[in-house]
Amino acid sequence: MVRSLPSLGVAAAFLATAADARTTVAVLEIGKGGVVRRTTASSPHASVHGVASFWNAAHDEVAGRNRRGSAQHPGMAVVPDLFSRADGGIALGLSGSAVDLTSGGAMPHLAGLLDTEAVGSFELSGSHSATLLKKAGAKAEDVVGNAADLASSLKAKAATAVDNRLAGLSISVHDEASASSVDSAIAAAVQSLRKQSEESGKTLLLHLVVDEEQVPAAHEAEEVPSDRRRRLEDMQEDQDQQQDENNNNENDDNYDGDYYNQRQAGDGYGEKTIFQIQYFNVVLWSAIGLTIVLVSAISLMINMPLMADTLLFGESAKVVGD
């Protein structure tokens, strides 16, 4: 029993470290916009599979697979628009010990993108950027080594993200100098992508997947913006719930959010997809319109007035008279 105490201490320290980490997935519209919407969901908290289902619903191709018509988990903070679709998307993962989004930190541009320019965001307990980037189809060659290559890599990914395809890219920062350089590179790349999208009239979805550690000291909480502090508090309250959800999903690694696969496997949530809603309404109102036309035609035929043909009977009278 005594020998197990150090092991318990190590395990407790590991769990505390894991609990302090969190992942933010912010959704930005680059260009024309209007392809995603913020919902009235009471909480931005989500799971890895929930974020993957959002990507599958928002994009036609994810990780090399056709996802059009996929269903998104219900009750999420951001959803795709019913009628407008994006032209492409990039999932940019950012991780490392130097990630700092607090006020006065080394990454003010990134913090501004997450807080003011994002349409909406998802919050996950723990570090999940690597898993999410894998869901987005990112490979080993999609890891950027330094900030100098980030802008060109994002531009190259934007060129391949056509036909509403989602591409993945990731970068790590481990010191304040690299964090500042990456922050400036992201700001410049977003401006370049925005200009390019506006000129082409297209919309690119940029999914910023940021792993960060919560503020450890209570006196540092005053430096955090109020909206971010509220999210930190909410994250702390819901960590147990999120952990339970993650444990329940451990055996569901092959889940891809595809509605039809779920139905075949018996795992569907019963939620209707956007495609099904649109298809149902088109068929319903087309049938109603054709039925009205048919009934109106039959009614007009039945109620058609019957009268003698004056031209025909007039000629007949002349023949009889002669």
Side-chain angles (χ1 to χ4, degrees):
M1 181 67 180
V2 176
R3 294 179 60 184
S4 65
L5 291 178
S7 300
L8 292 176
V10 172
F14 174 78
L15 292 175
T17 303
D20 286 341
R22 73 165 182 176
T23 302
T24 301
V25 182
V27 184
L28 282 75
E29 291 181 325
I30 308 296
K32 186 178 179 180
V35 297
V36 293
R37 306 289 180 183
R38 185 198 299 266
T39 68
T40 57
S42 58
S43 172
H45 304 312
S47 64
V48 171
H49 297 304
V51 175
S53 72
F54 167 71
W55 286 348
N56 293 337
H59 297 283
D60 295 340
E61 183 178 332
V62 181
R65 299 181 62 182
N66 185 3
R67 303 296 188 179
R68 188 167 183 85
S70 296
Q72 180 181 356
H73 287 194
M76 299 188 68
V78 185
V79 296
D81 186 73
L82 286 172
F83 306 105
S84 300
R85 303 285 289 178
D87 296 291
I90 301 175
L92 175 60
L94 184 63
S95 61
S97 58
V99 175
D100 184 9
L101 301 181
T102 59
S103 178
M107 312 187 79
H109 296 101
L110 182 61
L113 289 175
L114 268 63
D115 289 335
T116 61
E117 297 191 28
V119 177
S121 62
F122 305 110
E123 306 287 349
L124 294 79
S125 298
S127 299
H128 301 288
S129 63
T131 304
L132 288 171
L133 265 293
K134 184 178 179 181
K135 295 280 187 182
K139 301 178 181 179
E141 58 268 22
D142 295 321
V143 178
V144 181
N146 52 66
D149 299 331
L150 182 59
S152 59
S153 298
L154 278 173
K155 187 175 181 180
K157 284 296 181 182
T160 61
V162 295
D163 298 328
N164 200 10
R165 183 182 298 119
L166 179 64
L169 198 67
S170 64
I171 188 171
S172 299
V173 292
H174 300 287
D175 55 67
E176 187 174 348
S178 63
S180 179
S181 300
V182 168
D183 183 62
S184 300
I186 291 176
V190 169
Q191 291 296 332
S192 177
L193 292 176
R194 182 174 287 115
K195 181 179 179 181
Q196 181 179 349
S197 299
E198 290 175 352
E199 290 176 353
S200 61
K202 296 182 178 180
T203 301
L204 180 72
L205 285 180
L206 179 60
H207 309 275
L208 294 176
V209 184
V210 183
D211 276 351
E212 60 176 318
E213 296 182 356
Q214 296 185 18
V215 180
H219 67 275
E220 295 182 8
E222 299 178 356
E223 301 178 0
V224 182
S226 59
D227 56 344
R228 185 167 294 277
R229 184 166 62 252
R230 284 195 298 271
R231 291 204 299 267
L232 290 175
E233 294 172 354
D234 292 340
M235 288 289 293
Q236 188 66 32
E237 293 175 359
D238 293 348
Q239 279 174 357
D240 293 338
Q241 179 180 355
Q242 290 296 320
Q243 185 64 37
D244 292 340
E245 182 178 352
N246 292 337
N247 292 336
N248 292 334
N249 289 329
E250 284 181 356
N251 296 326
D252 195 23
D253 292 336
N254 294 325
Y255 175 82
D256 57 10
D258 186 87
Y259 175 80
Y260 302 105
N261 290 342
Q262 291 178 22
R263 293 289 292 179
Q264 293 173 2
D267 295 330
Y269 285 91
E271 299 291 334
K272 299 298 182 183
T273 65
I274 295 175
F275 172 77
Q276 288 177 313
I277 294 173
Q278 293 173 340
Y279 183 79
F280 173 79
N281 280 278
V282 168
V283 172
L284 173 65
W285 290 107
S286 297
I288 292 176
L290 291 174
T291 302
I292 292 175
V293 171
L294 178 62
V295 172
S296 300
I298 295 176
S299 176
L300 291 174
M301 187 186 308
I302 294 175
N303 297 323
M304 185 172 58
L306 301 177
M307 62 180 65
D309 191 333
T310 55
L311 178 61
L312 177 62
F313 282 92
E315 293 297 329
S316 300
K318 287 182 181 180
V319 173
V320 172
D322 292 340

